[in-house]
């Protein structure tokens, strides 16, 4: 009796410590202490082993797939003597079974009730603790196991003191045309490629930084400045394996990067997000390369971008966009042989040049609406000129690369031309070169379609940026517009590289049976170079700047330009 009382006192002492330790919230659980108390209680009640299982749901329990934790084990031949099962409202299940060594006397009712009490208290704790870990996982990782935006923000919040982010860089990247990988290899492979690519970046970044998924195929990352070149190199082009046979997919990304200056303080994660996202937007747009570094004016630039995008629909409806025409001139006869339609925005009494709004409209599909508006205006004017019995020349209209993905592009162009009852020969469509294979295919499709409809097509700005000879070999253009960067300067002689290239480009164009026009002709000497090389068409300030329609009509009525013949 005496002995039992002593043991009961001891039990209640141990149990009350266990109860208080397992009730603590908002602090990391003191697992070793808890385990020590459980061992003591177990040995008091002649238990040889205690095993706990945690199942997230009844299905896992049925399949026996939960996590197993052994809290106490004397490693003796044993048999189970008592099991407790605890089900939460979230349907997670925790079970605990205690064992006795085969040669121990069994527990009496009183002993069993104390063991049971201990087990229930412990189970409630384990269940809560496991659920907390799971909740954290759900909060900081997405369903594919990628660290998510909350983790990324958490990282920045943890590094919010001055100097915390010294020597670090932040990037925002997106996989180019990831949908193509899905289409070509299937979604499962796509998922594997995404995960492997992520793991490779995370491996490079290591513990000093973080890589998180914003969603889809867009990621953000903070890493040490020293490894940024290697990371960017990887992001520019990586071969990512997706099976054990060694097959791989080539993955390249658009990247916006921000080198965090020493002493930078992120008062909120947004201070970093705004910067990498602004740079990223520019990268995605494509005109500034695949990697764009953040610079200070970028955020104000973004505000300007937003303003233009907001004002556009209203401005279009109010007729603020006007079409100007720049004449194209025959270099031999001086006659006007065509015109290019160029857009101008009349805003609060000022003319906004296309460079200030076209690239912004190109970020969305707004540019397509504008281009169709320009085409429609041009068609209406040509119809009127024809009706008035005026001289009519072929007018070229610029179409942004943004249109290329539009499956209905061709139909829309034809619809506009036909609605205005304009003979196809008076319309020319100018397109610029493309940067990727996919766009190349789209471009090919569009140009061939226009050809079939007897609508002239030209490569604009040939020689600027990414020109490839492939572009003119494979796609059946009618006209090649040589960019002014090819045009020899006045003081250059005929042996300069530029002069040699110019000669060859013009000769090649003619030999391929294409019309050749040179843009940006500003001086008499340049005009002479064109003539010497049998290039028959020129466009440039030497003749006229882009003109309002009334002025252009005067040029149409004029017999020819005086080109000093
Ligand atoms: P672009 O299609 O290459 O048009 C030629 C540009 O060169 C025009 O600039 C024109 O004013 C300029 N230019 C012509 N002759 C000379 C010259 O002798 N010297 C110099 N320095 N420049 C000359 P603009 O009108 O500012 O247009 C710039 C670009 O904006 C165009 O380049 C075109 O890419 C785009 N753009 C203009 N209007 C439209 C449009 O309606 N739709 C689309 N998608 N793009 C347009
Ligand atoms: Mg053009
Ligand atoms: Mg051009």
């Amino acid at each position: 009796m005496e002995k039992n009382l002593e043991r009961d006192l001891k039990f209640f002492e141990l149990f009350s410590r266990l109860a208080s330790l397992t009730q603590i919230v908002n602090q990391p659980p003191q697992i070793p202490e808890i385990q020590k108390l459980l061992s003591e209680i177990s040995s008091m009640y002649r238990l040889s082993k205690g095993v706990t299982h945690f199942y997230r749901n009844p299905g896992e329990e049925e399949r026996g797939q939960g996590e197993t934790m052994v809290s106490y084990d004397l490693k003796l031949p044993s048999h189970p003597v008592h099991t407790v099962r605890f089900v939460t409202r979230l349907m997670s299940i925790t079970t605990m079974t205690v064992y006795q060594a085969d040669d121990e006397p069994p527990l009496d009712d009183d002993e069993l009730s104390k063991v049971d009490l201990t087990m229930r208290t412990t189970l409630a704790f384990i269940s809560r603790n496991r659920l907390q870990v799971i909740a954290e996982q759900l909060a900081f990782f997405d369903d594919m196991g990628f660290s998510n935006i909350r983790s990324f923000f958490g990282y920045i919040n943890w590094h919010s003191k001055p100097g915390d982010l010294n020597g670090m860089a932040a990037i925002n990247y997106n996989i180019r045309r990831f949908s193509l990988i899905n289409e070509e290899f299937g979604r499962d492979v796509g998922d594997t490629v995404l995960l492997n690519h992520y793991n490779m970046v995370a491996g490079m970044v290591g513990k000093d930084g973080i890589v998180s998924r914003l969603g889809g195929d867009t990621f953000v990352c903070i890493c040490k400045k020293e490894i940024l070149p290697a990371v960017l190199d990887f992001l520019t082009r990586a071969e990512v394996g997706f099976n054990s046979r060694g097959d791989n997919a080539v993955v390249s990304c658009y990247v916006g990067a921000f080198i965090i200056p020493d002493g930078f303080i992120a008062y909120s994660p947004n201070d970093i997000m705004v910067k990498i996202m602004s740079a990223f937007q520019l990268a995605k747009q494509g005109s500034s390369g695949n990697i764009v570094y953040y610079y200070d004016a970028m955020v104000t630039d973004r505000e300007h971008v937003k303003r233009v995008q907001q004002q556009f629909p209203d401005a279009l409806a109010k007729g603020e966009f006007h079409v100007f025409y720049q004449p194209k001139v025959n270099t031999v006869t001086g006659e006007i042989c065509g015109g290019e339609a160029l857009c101008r925005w009349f805003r609060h009494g000022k003319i906004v040049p296309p460079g200030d709004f076209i690239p912004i409209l190109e970020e969305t599909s707004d540019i397509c609406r504008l281009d169709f508006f320009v085409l429609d205006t041009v068609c209406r004017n040509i119809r009127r000129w024809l009706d008035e019995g005026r001289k009519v020349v072929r007018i070229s209209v610029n179409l942004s690369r943004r249109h290329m993905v539009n499956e209905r592009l061709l139909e829309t162009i034809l619809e506009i031309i036909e609605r205005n009852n304009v003979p196809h020969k008076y319309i020319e469509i100018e397109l610029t070169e493309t940067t990727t294979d996919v766009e190349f295919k789209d471009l090919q499709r569009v140009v061939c379609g226009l050809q079939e409809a007897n609508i002239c097509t030209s490569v604009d700005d040939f020689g600027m940026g990414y020109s490839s000879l492939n572009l003119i070999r494979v796609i059946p253009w009618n006209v090649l517009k040589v960019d002014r960067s090819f045009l020899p300067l006045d003081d250059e002689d005929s042996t300069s590289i530029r002069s040699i290239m110019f000669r060859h480009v013009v000769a090649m164009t003619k030999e391929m049976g294409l019309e050749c026009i040179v843009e940006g002709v500003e001086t008499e000497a340049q005009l002479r170079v064109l003539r010497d090389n049998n290039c028959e068409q020129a466009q440039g300030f030497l003749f006229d700047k882009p003109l309002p329609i009334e002025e252009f009509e005067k040029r149409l009525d004029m017999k020819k330009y005086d080109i000093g013949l």
Side-chain angles (χ1 to χ4, degrees), residues 305-314:
V305 165
K306 257 195 227 139
R307 240 189 342 264
V308 169
Q309 285 170 346
Q310 271 163 6
Q311 291 168 347
F312 172 73
D314 203 33

Side-chain angles (χ1 to χ4, degrees), residues 158-292:
W158 278 105
H159 293 83
S160 58
K161 290 197 302 302
D164 275 357
L165 290 169
N166 283 4
M168 304 300 277
I171 58 176
N172 178 189
Y173 64 90
N174 169 271
I175 298 181
R176 296 169 61 123
R177 298 277 189 146
F178 182 67
S179 56
L180 285 187
I181 296 179
N182 278 333
E183 273 166 33
E184 193 173 338
F185 303 108
R187 281 200 75 92
D188 286 349
V189 169
D191 286 351
T192 310
V193 168
L194 204 61
L195 197 59
N196 289 353
H197 188 266
Y198 164 85
N199 284 334
M200 284 151 105
V201 179
M204 295 169 97
V205 169
K207 285 205 165 51
D208 295 319
I210 182 166
V211 192
S212 303
R213 178 157 84 147
L214 270 191
D217 54 349
T218 304
F219 295 81
V220 283
C221 162
I222 290 183
C223 66
K224 288 206 142 181
K225 236 167 20 187
E226 298 96 83
I227 66 149
L228 184 66
V231 171
L232 292 180
D233 198 45
F234 178 82
L235 293 179
T236 308
R237 189 181 189 284
E239 288 174 14
V240 181
F242 53 76
N243 61 24
S244 52
R245 290 196 303 277
D247 294 331
N248 57 43
V250 175
V251 176
S252 64
C253 303
Y254 307 103
V255 191
F258 170 50
I259 310 279
I260 302 174
D262 283 356
F264 179 86
I265 305 172
Y267 293 101
S268 96
N270 226 17
D271 293 344
I272 287 181
M273 289 304 285
V274 174
K275 293 181 166 60
I276 52 180
M277 285 172 86
S278 309
F280 172 72
Q281 285 303 329
L282 261 189
K284 206 166 168 189
Q285 203 183 299
S287 50
S288 319
N290 293 333
I291 300 172
V292 173

Side-chain angles (χ1 to χ4, degrees), residues 15 21 23 25 40 86 103 125 166 210 227 232 250 300 318 377 401 421 436 458 487 494 503 512 519 524 560 563:
F15 179 77
L21 279 178
Q23 292 309 311
V25 282
E40 278 185 55
F86 186 88
D103 54 3
F125 160 75
N166 283 4
I210 182 166
I227 66 149
L232 292 180
V250 175
T300 35
K318 280 193 191 142
T377 310
R401 287 211 304 249
N421 193 17
T436 66
S458 47
L487 199 55
S494 59
R503 268 205 305 280
M512 291 175 80
E519 307 180 72
E524 301 264 343
K560 51 176 76 167
I563 54 172

Side-chain angles (χ1 to χ4, degrees), residues 326 340-344 353-355 358 362 367 370-371 374 397-400 403 430 432 460-461 481 483-484 519-522 539-542 544-546:
Q326 188 175 33
E340 176 174 5
L342 293 155
C343 198
R344 299 290 181 267
I358 299 273
E362 277 183 328
I367 190 65
L370 182 71
D371 285 348
V374 171
V397 173
N398 293 282
L399 276 204
S400 159
H403 292 277
E430 292 192 16
T432 50
D460 200 359
D461 304 336
K481 295 194 80 179
D483 187 68
R484 41 196 261 268
E519 307 180 72
V521 176
E522 291 180 352
Q539 177 183 346
F541 295 170
L542 174 64
D544 268 310
K545 295 194 164 173

